[in-house]
Amino acid sequence: MKKRLVSLLVALCMAVTLLPVSAITAWAEESGSNSKPLQFRQGYPILDGIDSTTDTNGNKIYIGDGWSYDETNKVLTIAPENPTTYDLTAYGSIRLDQNSILCSTVIGKNATIINGDFYDSDNPDVKIINHGVINSGGYHTAVTNHGTIIDGFFSSVVSNESDGTIENGTFTATVNNSGTINGGLFKIKPTGGLTSPGYTLNVIPPNSIRAVSINYIKNPCYIIPNSDSMFPTNVKVLFWSLRTPFSIGITFDNAQMQLEEWAQNIACYCDADGFFVTFSAPPTNTDTITLGKYDPKPVDPKPEPEPKPEPKPEPEVSTYTLTVKGGTFTYNGGEAITSASVPVDAAVKVTLNQSAVPEGMVFDLWAISDEGLLGNPAVAYNEESFIIPADSATKGSTVTVEAQYRDATIESEPGILGTAAIIGVAGAGTAVLAWQGYRIGMELYEKYFQQEQEEPPVEISTLEGQMTNLLS
């Protein structure tokens, strides 16, 4: 039996050796894996030689070695079975040119991204969802973090979810935190979640014409040091266009010291951009650190408080109180009102309220309590709408303007003398209108008719008869 098996094996080996080499190679490829590694060209995964499939939603899907790509929605998923690091350096083995990655990307839990370069120029909806590790690179698109961010430059909004951790990095936009932040440099102080204590770093240039940036973001910034971990927050201060180094000092709690006395891993150098100062941020118990040119002169521990400027009283506005009955008034473009305190220097427009005119009556004139206004030729008190000129009322006075009416069957006479024809004297010199109980104010009577009582009365029988009938 054994001899037969050996004979069959020998025969099989001889048969294989007789096959062409191309046939053997094809068989080996079919038996092995056909998946291609992840590579990028012009911002998108290279799909050459990969057969596509269609998912249940009709999306066109390409599957490679540890990754897949939804070409319909332009979404890349990096999900290797084992821990894998993806170095996305330009002109490297994965990113074959200098173009940024332009598609949305889901980073799986076994994936670590270094030297990432993601950008949303082609599609504003591009985003990154991280379940793995982001270790370095530039991320110019929104990031939702469920994994770990160790380092990187993030110029768009970052949402650090409840299962996310930020150990370090530079963040130039808002960080919405529901997870843990142990360190980093932030343009806007993060809030929420578990956020380690930090401080504001403010850099003062040696002269006012020099621009300053901190990790290439605008001065000042908020620093969470994370100095006790493997990922301390490193700070790079650039004094733009400055070619002359100078001694660096820091000031906090009214104390000044050289940078070397406070921080570690310090380096200072100049290049084409300017003068750089780099260091690892240490912890501190103060809220603000000021970095600038070292000045050995002691800081006054008790600086004299600056005198507080005494508030100057606002100039008093001259006003008077105006009340309009049977109408409304406006001034300075405001709404129509019936009573208010009005600036003396404002022109006021008085308008009759037609709905307030009693049935069977018509408007006759306005009774005005201010004699100065009543005698002002610019005040057309016998018009349904008239103007009280600016600076014509007395400061602090109370002015009442009241609409007067007459029976609709009585024709209007020109001027105040037409109204005077129906005024009677009813005890103690009170002027009373006889038209259905409506009166002209005391002011009209006193101003225009009281002085005429001293003259000899002119007996006019027709007028006296009219007045007697009206008053009876």
Side-chain angles (χ1 to χ4, degrees), residues 93-104:
S93 60
I94 298 178
R95 189 156 64 98
L96 305 183
D97 55 23
Q98 81 283 4
N99 292 295
S100 302
I101 297 171
L102 304 176
C103 58
S104 294

Side-chain angles (χ1 to χ4, degrees), residues 199-205 212 214 219-221 251 288-292:
Y199 50 85
T200 298
L201 175 63
N202 183 38
V203 179
I204 300 177
V212 176
I214 307 171
N219 174 49
C221 67
T251 302
T288 302
I289 298 290
T290 301
L291 183 147

Side-chain angles (χ1 to χ4, degrees), residues 428-463:
T430 303
V432 178
L433 274 176
W435 300 331
Q436 298 185 10
Y438 286 83
R439 63 180 180 81
I440 294 179
M442 182 68 184
E443 296 80 7
L444 284 174
Y445 173 77
E446 292 175 350
K447 181 170 184 65
Y448 291 100
F449 305 111
Q450 192 173 26
Q451 66 269 27
E452 296 180 2
Q453 292 180 4
E454 298 176 359
E455 300 178 2
V458 179
E459 187 173 332
I460 302 175
S461 59
T462 304
L463 176 61

Side-chain angles (χ1 to χ4, degrees), residues 366-380:
W366 296 96
I368 304 175
S369 64
D370 189 294
E371 294 186 1
L373 293 177
L374 195 60
N376 190 333
V379 179

Side-chain angles (χ1 to χ4, degrees), residues 80-85 110-112:
E81 293 184 0
N82 300 308
T84 305
T85 298
N110 286 328
T112 297

Side-chain angles (χ1 to χ4, degrees), residues 28 52 87 92 97 100 119 152 181 198 221 241 270 311 334 349 371 375 394 403:
S52 65
D87 186 351
D97 55 23
S100 302
Y119 198 50
I181 298 179
C221 67
S241 303
C270 293
K349 182 178 182 180
E371 294 186 1
T394 304

